[in-house]
Amino acid sequence: MALSGIGPANRDTRSEWIRLRTLVLLRWMAIVGQLAALTVADRVVGMQLPLGLCYLVVGAAVIGNLVASFVFPGNKRFSEAGAMLTLLFDVSQLAILLALTGGLNNPFALLILVPVTISAGALELRTTVLLGLAAICLISVISVYNLPLRFSDGTILQVPAVFEFGFWLSIVIGIMFLALYSRRVATEIRSMSDALLATQMALAREQKLTDLGGVVAAAAHELGTPLATIKLASTELVEELADRPDLREDAELIRTQADRCRDILRSMGRAGKDDLHLRQAPLGAVLREAAEPHLGRGKTVAFDVFPGTNGGDRQPTILRRPEVIHGLRNLVQNAVDFARARVWIDATWTDSFISVRIIDDGAGYPSYILGRIGDPFVRSRPAAQETGQRPDYEGMGLGLFIAKTLLERSGAEISFANGTDPFLTRAEHPDRFGAIVEVRWPKSVIVAPETDALGPNRPLDG
């Protein structure tokens, strides 16, 4: 299943995610921290610092914040380039301040990780790589060229060379690791957000279609009586106007049009007042309804509905929830897409559970992806196979994710498996050897309660 406009986060959708106000606030926090560190080092610890130069560097950050606050509105969102330049300024400002205060002998050198981590969580990979390289280059330069830290008596604070090298190495590794970790987590969060949005859109569409079907069926039922009255009255007029051919023609036209309206309404559907069959149906009927759009696509779809142990002979009537129908439809679509010639839809029930299995005779799920099926933006078949069986398909794994999400929302448990050992030859394969999806509901969450087929009239909203 592909939904237009929904896909993994890309440059167009991610370039304006960061607000100016957010970066300004973070920079104010950094400025306060830098001023506090300089004050403590000078007044409490008694370090000899080039305070004029240090305050000049901090003042540059203050001026940058003031200009950004007064020139641009607070709700302005940065472009990719704007966010990169802002974070690059922060990295450079911090690097210069560290160079004036001991370089890697300054424990606050670790803070150079912050801009790179922000970039990894919100910006493009290319931007994060550039910022990471800039941070590594700057931290390498200040490890060699820096003003040493001196105590009040002139003693220089100097850590052993091996510790200084270890600190440099830990910062470099930290830049790479935190950037990779933050980006990975942020990417998965964005993917899940996009996939959930697609799921909500699919469910909303299915709900609208279900509601529309109910309105159409109810309208067809309610209009039946006035149309019958019109037809009866027009028939009587035809008989009474036998001596008036011109008026008789009009009466016959009214009767003909009433018959035409009746036929149209019959084709649209028939239901009683708030017909509960719009909201519940036998298990087999729901399965056929879910599979119906894919029955004419050149693959044989076989249905087998049978009772299990202690299930009773009577087929259960289940709720026709939009999420159930749409979820099953996505699973059937996936099976039909990748089947060679045949798809089996088996349903069984016991006294406690209802189970549906959808099996195709295709190649099955790749073993390396089997444990991740149902995650968004994960292809469930190799690209070569998709090209051969879905020539115009650009799948992102959303179909199975939406199906899994919707069906689990209805109370189901879903499992994915293959029907045979991939090392067997084609001749050794059993009849049903492709991908298998099993959906299993407790009866208490899916079986419709016993009630009359017709409910009371309900007014239509709006």
Side-chain angles (χ1 to χ4, degrees):
M1 173 182 173
L3 291 179
S4 176
I6 300 297
N10 51 45
R11 178 169 185 161
D12 293 335
T13 60
R14 292 170 52 190
S15 60
E16 297 184 356
W17 280 13
I18 303 180
R19 290 188 308 169
L20 171 66
R21 182 180 303 167
T22 301
L23 292 183
V24 167
L25 178 60
L26 291 174
R27 187 180 289 167
W28 280 125
M29 295 172 61
I31 290 170
V32 171
Q34 291 169 2
L35 291 175
L38 290 173
T39 302
V40 170
D42 179 51
R43 300 295 178 86
V44 179
V45 183
M47 291 287 184
Q48 296 181 13
L49 300 174
L51 290 178
L53 292 175
C54 291
Y55 286 138
L56 182 62
V57 174
V58 176
V62 172
I63 293 173
N65 256 11
L66 292 176
V67 170
S69 299
F70 286 107
V71 173
F72 301 103
N75 60 354
K76 174 181 173 58
R77 295 188 179 273
F78 276 113
S79 65
E80 186 78 18
M84 182 186 70
L85 291 176
T86 301
L87 294 174
L88 188 60
F89 172 84
D90 293 334
V91 170
S92 303
Q93 187 261 353
L94 179 58
I96 295 173
L97 191 59
L98 290 172
L100 295 173
T101 55
L104 293 186
N105 292 305
N106 189 330
F108 292 102
L110 191 65
L111 293 177
I112 205 165
L113 295 170
V114 174
V116 182
T117 304
I118 294 174
S119 174
L123 301 180
E124 288 289 327
L125 177 60
R126 181 175 61 181
T127 301
T128 302
V129 170
L130 289 175
L131 278 173
L133 291 175
I136 292 174
C137 291
L138 289 171
I139 206 71
S140 301
V141 170
I142 67 174
S143 68
V144 178
Y145 302 102
N146 60 79
L147 296 180
L149 287 173
R150 296 179 183 272
F151 291 101
S152 57
D153 59 359
T155 305
I156 296 177
L157 176 63
Q158 184 70 41
V159 300
V162 66
F163 284 97
E164 187 175 359
F165 174 76
F167 193 28
W168 173 85
L169 186 60
S170 67
I171 292 177
V172 171
I173 294 175
I175 288 174
M176 294 187 292
F177 174 78
L178 285 179
L180 179 63
Y181 178 81
S182 300
R183 179 166 182 81
R184 178 73 177 181
V185 172
T187 300
E188 291 203 1
I189 291 174
R190 284 192 290 266
S191 296
M192 186 62 68
S193 176
D194 290 341
L196 289 175
L197 175 60
T199 303
Q200 292 170 358
M201 292 173 60
L203 181 58
R205 178 179 178 274
E206 195 69 29
Q207 183 67 58
K208 288 179 180 179
L209 291 176
T210 300
D211 293 344
L212 180 61
V215 170
V216 169
H221 172 78
E222 296 294 343
L223 290 174
T225 300
L227 283 175
T229 303
I230 293 172
K231 182 179 179 181
L232 178 62
S234 61
T235 301
E236 292 178 352
L237 285 174
V238 169
E239 294 174 356
E240 293 177 2
L241 296 174
D243 55 341
R244 301 284 301 274
D246 51 339
L247 296 180
R248 178 188 173 94
E249 248 180 68
D250 292 338
E252 288 178 344
L253 180 61
I254 292 173
R255 182 174 64 180
T256 302
Q257 293 304 310
D259 288 338
R260 184 182 176 192
C261 288
R262 178 201 61 196
D263 295 338
I264 291 173
L265 291 176
R266 280 180 179 174
S267 68
M268 293 169 63
R270 177 186 170 195
K273 298 178 180 180
D274 187 24
D275 193 346
L276 298 184
H277 286 303
L278 294 172
R279 293 184 279 123
Q280 62 188 45
L283 175 60
V286 173
L287 293 178
R288 290 184 179 275
E289 179 183 358
E292 192 274 334
H294 307 291
L295 296 182
R297 296 179 52 197
K299 310 288 177 65
T300 301
V301 180
F303 295 86
D304 192 3
V305 182
F306 55 92
T309 306
N310 300 325
D313 294 333
R314 182 182 177 186
Q315 188 176 141
T317 299
I318 65 173
L319 298 172
R320 290 183 63 256
R321 294 177 178 172
E323 59 265 34
V324 171
I325 295 174
H326 195 88
L328 291 173
R329 184 168 294 160
N330 275 15
L331 296 179
V332 173
Q333 175 186 354
N334 193 73
V336 171
D337 285 339
F338 294 105
R340 290 188 175 91
R342 193 173 181 85
V343 173
W344 295 270
I345 301 178
D346 298 340
T348 186
W349 64 92
T350 66
D351 56 351
S352 302
F353 293 95
I354 292 178
S355 178
V356 175
R357 279 191 174 192
I358 300 173
I359 311 170
D360 63 65
D361 62 351
Y365 300 112
S367 57
Y368 66 89
I369 209 75
L370 193 58
R372 298 178 59 199
I373 294 177
D375 289 347
F377 309 112
V378 173
R379 293 176 182 268
S380 61
R381 298 297 198 280
Q385 187 177 348
E386 287 180 355
T387 303
Q389 299 187 10
R390 284 180 171 182
D392 299 321
Y393 177 74
E394 295 181 359
M396 298 175 293
L398 273 182
L400 289 178
F401 171 81
I402 290 174
K404 186 172 184 289
T405 302
L406 293 180
L407 291 171
E408 286 178 347
R409 174 176 174 171
S410 72
E413 295 180 0
I414 306 175
S415 59
F416 301 88
N418 287 323
T420 188
D421 189 327
F423 297 103
L424 295 179
T425 64
R426 188 66 179 272
E428 295 173 325
H429 284 167
D431 290 338
R432 304 182 180 190
F433 55 82
I436 300 176
V437 183
E438 183 173 10
V439 186
R440 180 183 171 105
W441 291 273
K443 265 191 169 181
S444 58
V445 303
I446 193 66
V447 172
E450 295 289 340
T451 183
D452 295 332
L454 298 180
N457 282 331
R458 293 191 303 177
L460 296 176
D461 296 334

